[in-house]
Amino acid sequence: MPVESVQKRQVHDIPPPQIIVIEHHAETVICPHCGQIHETSFPDDVPAHLQYGQTIRVLMVYLCIYHLLPMNVPQKSSQTSMDVLLSKQP
Ligand SMILES: [Zn+2]
């Protein structure tokens, strides 16, 4: 049966927020030639063993500073929307 016409409808949406974890490794090796220990370093923006990424930090600052929300509101919201309970510490 030939198609007479096609109508379109679009739904625009935002994908659900999802936590991604990027793990950095810094290797230590002993040079087989000179015997010295050589260490690689972590990126400058990764100073801690565990930290929040830039997007989460920007979102929390936006919610708490620009919208003047108490810290526990975005914290609870992150638990609901991303299934992650953010620390009260920055
Ligand atoms: Zn060497």
Side-chain angles (χ1 to χ4, degrees):
M1 182 178 329
V3 176
E4 287 296 320
S5 68
V6 175
Q7 296 181 6
K8 294 180 180 180
R9 293 180 181 179
Q10 294 184 340
V11 176
H12 293 228
D13 204 350
I14 297 172
Q18 181 182 8
I19 291 288
I20 58 169
V21 176
I22 300 171
E23 183 172 277
H24 299 271
H25 294 189
E27 296 180 342
T28 300
V29 297
I30 299 175
C31 178
H33 303 292
C34 66
Q36 286 195 338
I37 296 174
H38 299 281
E39 295 178 342
T40 57
S41 58
F42 290 101
D44 290 340
D45 62 342
V46 184
H49 291 279
L50 177 64
Q51 65 187 59
Y52 297 123
Q54 185 176 4
T55 305
I56 289 179
R57 287 183 287 169
V58 166
L59 178 62
M60 291 300 113
V61 168
Y62 172 74
L63 293 173
C64 293
I65 304 299
Y66 187 78
H67 289 285
L68 302 173
L69 294 176
M71 188 60 192
N72 65 334
V73 174
Q75 185 192 29
K76 284 204 180 288
S77 172
S78 69
Q79 186 177 20
T80 304
S81 63
M82 293 184 282
D83 198 24
V84 169
L85 182 59
L86 297 176
S87 167
K88 291 180 181 177
Q89 300 298 318

